[in-house]
């Protein structure tokens, strides 16, 4: 099973792509993150971002995409809230068109599945991914994306064991 975790941080999509098997592992060649293109505005920027998201999701062909829900719920400047909401919608639309299940999970659920604090879901043991060092962009939100993907794999394994 392949799962793509996505965390939205600083206007970018941070990707954590994992594959289950005898051991959980990173998907080789998977994109690390998607940053909006410079120089585009309005509908051109939205269309370009959507095409790139869809291309990334299509290329990975995950069974499931997990969006990490924001912990911030109040006092957002309009532009930040609108940017995040539009990225969430573009991911959901791309998943829908690719026939891929997409869910938004709160950090409470992810933390519970990984047995880590919800405010620090990226603090899980890297050895679970067969890693000894954090991948690039970890602290920019990619750690949260990997946590979401790992939590989804844990949940699917627990359901299969029932």
């Amino acid at each position: 099973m392949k799962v793509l975790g996505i965390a939205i941080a600083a206007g970018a999509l941070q990707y954590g792509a994992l594959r289950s098997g005898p051991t959980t592992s990173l998907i080789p060649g998977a994109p690390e993150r998607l940053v909006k293109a410079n120089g585009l505005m309005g509908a051109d920027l939205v269309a370009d971002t959507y095409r790139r998201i869809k291309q990334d999701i299509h290329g990975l062909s995950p069974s499931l995409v997990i969006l990490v829900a924001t912990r911030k719920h109040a006092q957002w400047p309009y532009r930040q809230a609108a940017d995040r909401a539009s990225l969430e919608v573009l991911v959901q639309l791309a998943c829908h068109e690719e026939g891929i299940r997409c869910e938004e999970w709160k950090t409470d659920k992810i933390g519970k599945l990984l047995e880590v604090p919800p405010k620090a879901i990226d603090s899980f043991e890297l050895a679970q991914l067969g890693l000894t060092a954090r991948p690039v962009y970890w602290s920019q939100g990619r750690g949260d994306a990997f946590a979401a993907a790992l939590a989804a794999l844990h949940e699917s394994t627990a359901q299969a064991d029932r």
Side-chain angles (χ1 to χ4, degrees):
M1 175 179 189
K2 290 193 276 186
V3 177
L4 176 61
I6 300 177
I8 300 171
L13 297 178
Q14 308 291 336
Y15 295 139
L18 298 176
R19 172 184 319 207
S20 64
T23 60
T24 299
S25 62
L26 277 64
I27 297 174
E32 298 167 345
R33 67 187 205 155
L34 185 142
V35 178
K36 292 180 187 178
N38 288 326
L40 296 178
M41 296 174 46
D44 292 334
L45 178 60
V46 172
D48 177 74
T49 304
Y50 171 71
R51 280 191 295 269
R52 291 170 55 219
I53 292 169
K54 189 172 178 189
Q55 180 181 7
D56 287 346
I57 289 172
H58 178 80
L60 284 170
S61 298
S63 304
L64 173 64
V65 171
I66 301 293
L67 276 165
V68 179
T70 183
R71 293 187 62 83
K72 187 173 185 176
H73 294 287
Q75 299 177 351
W76 279 43
Y78 172 78
R79 180 59 15 220
Q80 287 179 351
D83 284 349
R84 180 179 176 92
S86 68
L87 287 172
E88 286 180 6
V89 168
L90 293 176
V91 167
Q92 292 168 347
L93 180 59
C95 288
H96 174 77
E97 288 196 350
E98 290 293 316
I100 296 168
R101 196 170 93 223
C102 181
E103 299 177 8
E104 183 179 45
W105 286 10
K106 293 182 178 183
T107 57
D108 293 336
K109 178 177 182 171
I110 297 167
K112 184 176 181 181
L113 286 163
L114 298 181
E115 299 178 353
V116 296
K119 290 184 180 181
I121 58 173
D122 67 347
S123 65
F124 65 90
E125 292 293 323
L126 292 177
Q128 293 182 68
L129 305 180
L131 299 174
T132 56
R134 293 177 172 177
V136 66
Y137 308 119
W138 189 270
S139 61
Q140 287 84 9
R142 196 162 177 227
D144 290 357
F146 276 114
L150 185 60
L153 290 175
H154 280 288
E155 184 178 71
S156 71
T157 300
Q159 288 176 350
D161 291 344
R162 290 182 196 164

